[in-house]
């Protein structure tokens, strides 16, 4: 059985005389450092009975010598070489790292996250610029866009998303109508629930919830697909045979999400209005014909224009973010999952930020 590190000691005139036994190594060190610290002044360290010593054991001996001015005797040739190497090292070592205050650690984490977000944003902007350059080269060279790939993405981004987006929007319309009716009923203004549902659905919520859903479905799919292609070196193979990954992979996906987003946003708005109409009919006894006539009176065309302006921007943002994160995969399959998550989080965050900026911009134009 391998002997653990241990020591015997006796009291001397100038301090304790310590004689080590066993193996003074990291694996067999045990509580030797704590017991040495509890001895008080140490005059002599006898290493003659040691079976083995490694760098950690030599550091324990060197630390004791520096703290107590101890004398080392009985060291083997290997132990002397380790002790000589550590003798010139004046660095300050601690067994346990100093624990910083909570506020300092919190500020460090916030700063690290902020720097990471800034670099991510710069990367997305740079990737968007590279995509624009690739599109310009394709147009100048008069090469056709890969419409087969674009139409395939229409299926995944648009058609396959219709059931879940329609159901979600329909239920959100019911929730908006119900909550609005509860508040407006206190003032006898239940009829204005139609105003709330109509304008909120067309101008904001229909498109915003659609963008969040598309980011979760399609943005993550883009990142996972491209990340897997990076791991299997398909991207490198395309570059080798002279095919631009930006033209063959990125542009069709971004084009599909850009073209599909206005259609999905309009579809989601209609579903939300239908959900609100169902609640108004059942809960407030307002017939569907009155509901439709009221919607025609209170929804201005500017709300529709705002939706059409924002939708392609959101589509471009979701497509670019998903493709960018997929292109950043470098090492293993775990990074594919991490980049997929980053694509969804970044796309949703940027969509919400841009939506707020659009709201302020259109308000300054008087499109209220």
């Amino acid at each position: 059985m391998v002997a653990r590190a241990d020591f015997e000691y006796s009291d001397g005139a100038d301090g304790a005389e310590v004689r080590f036994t066993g193996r003074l190594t990291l694996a067999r060190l045990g509580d030797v450092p704590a017991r040495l610290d509890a001895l008080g002044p140490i005059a002599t360290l006898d290493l003659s009975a040691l079976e083995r010593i490694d760098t950690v054991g030599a550091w324990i001996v060197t630390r004791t010598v520096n703290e107590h001015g101890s004398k080392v005797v009985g060291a083997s040739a290997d132990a002397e070489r380790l002790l000589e190497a550590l003798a010139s090292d004046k660095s300050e070592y601690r067994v346990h790292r100093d624990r910083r205050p909570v506020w300092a650690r919190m500020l460090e984490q916030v700063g690290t996250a902020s720097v990471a977000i800034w670099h991510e944003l710069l990367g997305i902007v740079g990737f968007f610029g590279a995509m624009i350059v690739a599109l310009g080269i394709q147009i100048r060279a008069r090469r056709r866009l890969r419409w087969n790939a674009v139409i395939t993405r229409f299926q995944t981004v648009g058609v396959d998303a219709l059931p879940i987006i329609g159901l979600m929007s329909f239920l959100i319309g019911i929730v908006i109508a119900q909550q609005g009716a509860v508040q407006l009923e206190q003032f006898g203004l239940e009829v204005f629930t139609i105003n709330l549902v109509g304008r909120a659905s067309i101008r904001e919520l229909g498109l915003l919830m659609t963008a969040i859903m598309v980011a979760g479905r399609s943005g993550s799919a883009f990142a996972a697909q491209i990340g897997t292609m990076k791991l299997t070196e398909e991207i490198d193979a395309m570059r080798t045979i002279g095919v631009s990954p930006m033209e063959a992979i990125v542009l069709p996906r971004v084009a599909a999400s850009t073209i599909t987003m206005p259609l999905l946003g309009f579809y989601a708005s209609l579903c939300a209005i239908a959900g609100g109409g169902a609640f108004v009919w059942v809960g407030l006894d307002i017939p569907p014909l009155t509901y439709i006539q009221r919607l025609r009176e209170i929804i201005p065309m500017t709300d529709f224009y705002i939706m059409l302006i924002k939708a392609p921007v959101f589509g471009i943002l979701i497509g670019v973010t998903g493709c960018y994160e997929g292109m950043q995969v470098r090492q293993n399959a775990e990074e594919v999952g991490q980049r997929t998550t980053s694509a969804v989080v970044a796309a949703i965050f940027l969509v919400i930020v841009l939506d707020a900026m659009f709201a302020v911009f259109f308000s300054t134009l008087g499109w209220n």
Side-chain angles (χ1 to χ4, degrees):
M1 182 175 178
V2 180
R4 296 181 61 85
D6 201 354
F7 63 85
E8 303 169 354
Y9 71 93
S10 59
D11 295 330
D14 298 327
E17 298 178 355
V18 177
R19 184 172 183 269
F20 288 104
T21 58
R23 293 192 171 192
L24 194 60
T25 61
L26 176 62
R28 301 294 172 180
L29 195 59
D31 61 348
V32 167
R35 291 166 54 198
L36 278 176
D37 293 339
L39 287 181
I42 298 176
T44 305
L45 295 173
D46 187 355
L47 309 184
S48 59
L50 281 178
E51 298 178 10
R52 185 181 175 186
I53 185 172
D54 65 359
T55 305
V56 175
W59 175 75
I60 296 295
V61 174
T62 303
R63 187 189 67 165
T64 306
V65 170
N66 293 335
E67 290 180 355
H68 302 281
S70 309
K71 180 181 179 182
V72 179
V73 297
S76 64
D78 291 339
E80 287 181 355
R81 282 196 296 270
L82 288 175
L83 293 175
E84 288 176 1
L86 293 174
S88 59
D89 187 5
K90 302 301 182 182
S91 304
E92 184 178 359
Y93 297 96
R94 292 180 175 85
V95 177
H96 297 288
R97 187 174 61 179
D98 289 344
R99 189 171 181 84
R100 291 175 299 165
V102 175
W103 62 268
R105 285 180 282 138
M106 182 180 66
L107 288 178
E108 180 184 9
Q109 292 175 0
V110 170
T112 303
S114 301
V115 171
I117 292 173
W118 176 249
H119 289 163
E120 191 84 357
L121 182 60
L122 290 180
I124 292 173
V125 172
F127 187 80
F128 177 73
M131 188 194 71
I132 296 298
V133 171
L135 180 61
I137 293 174
Q138 189 171 19
I139 294 174
R140 187 177 61 182
R142 297 182 180 178
R143 292 194 296 267
R144 291 193 312 162
L145 185 65
R146 298 170 185 265
W147 287 108
N148 290 336
V150 175
I151 293 172
T152 302
R153 300 306 154 195
F154 281 163
Q155 176 72 27
T156 56
V157 176
V159 178
D160 292 346
L162 290 177
I164 184 62
I165 290 178
L167 177 61
M168 177 192 66
S169 301
F170 184 83
L171 296 177
I172 288 176
I174 293 177
V175 171
I176 294 173
Q178 189 272 334
Q179 293 296 317
V182 169
Q183 300 302 319
L184 294 171
E185 189 178 10
Q186 304 176 37
F187 309 100
L189 301 174
E190 297 93 332
V191 69
F192 286 102
T193 302
I194 303 175
N195 299 47
L196 176 63
V197 173
R199 298 211 60 184
S201 300
I202 292 292
R203 182 167 180 146
E204 291 293 342
L205 288 182
L207 179 60
L208 183 60
M209 297 307 297
T210 300
I212 292 173
M213 183 61 67
V214 171
R217 289 186 75 258
S218 303
S220 61
F222 293 167
Q225 291 166 359
I226 297 176
T228 304
M229 294 175 71
K230 288 278 290 184
L231 287 183
T232 56
E233 300 182 354
E234 294 179 53
I235 304 292
D236 297 333
M238 293 176 66
R239 291 194 178 100
T240 301
I241 63 176
V243 177
S244 171
M246 193 68 72
E247 295 181 8
I249 298 176
V250 175
L251 284 178
R253 285 169 169 79
V254 176
S257 61
T258 304
I259 298 172
T260 307
M261 185 61 68
L263 304 176
L264 288 177
F266 182 68
Y267 166 74
S269 300
L270 293 181
C271 291
I273 289 174
F279 177 83
V280 167
W281 187 15
V282 174
L284 302 180
D285 294 326
I286 298 177
L289 184 59
T290 304
Y291 180 74
I292 295 173
Q293 290 175 343
R294 181 69 177 174
L295 287 176
R296 292 178 60 185
E297 295 173 0
I298 60 96
I299 298 178
M301 285 301 296
T302 53
D303 286 0
F304 185 70
Y305 297 150
I306 288 172
M307 183 191 68
L308 292 182
I309 292 172
K310 293 194 298 184
V313 177
F314 291 169
I316 293 173
L317 183 61
I318 293 170
V320 169
T321 303
C323 294
Y324 167 77
E325 293 294 346
M327 286 291 189
Q328 301 310 303
V329 174
R330 292 289 184 271
Q331 298 174 351
N332 49 44
E334 183 180 359
E335 193 169 350
V336 175
Q338 294 173 352
R339 288 295 177 177
T340 302
T341 303
S342 299
V344 176
V345 173
I348 292 176
F349 173 77
L350 292 175
V351 162
I352 294 175
V353 170
L354 274 181
D355 188 65
M357 294 173 63
F358 273 126
V360 174
F361 174 72
F362 290 126
S363 296
T364 58
L365 293 180
W367 290 13
N368 298 316

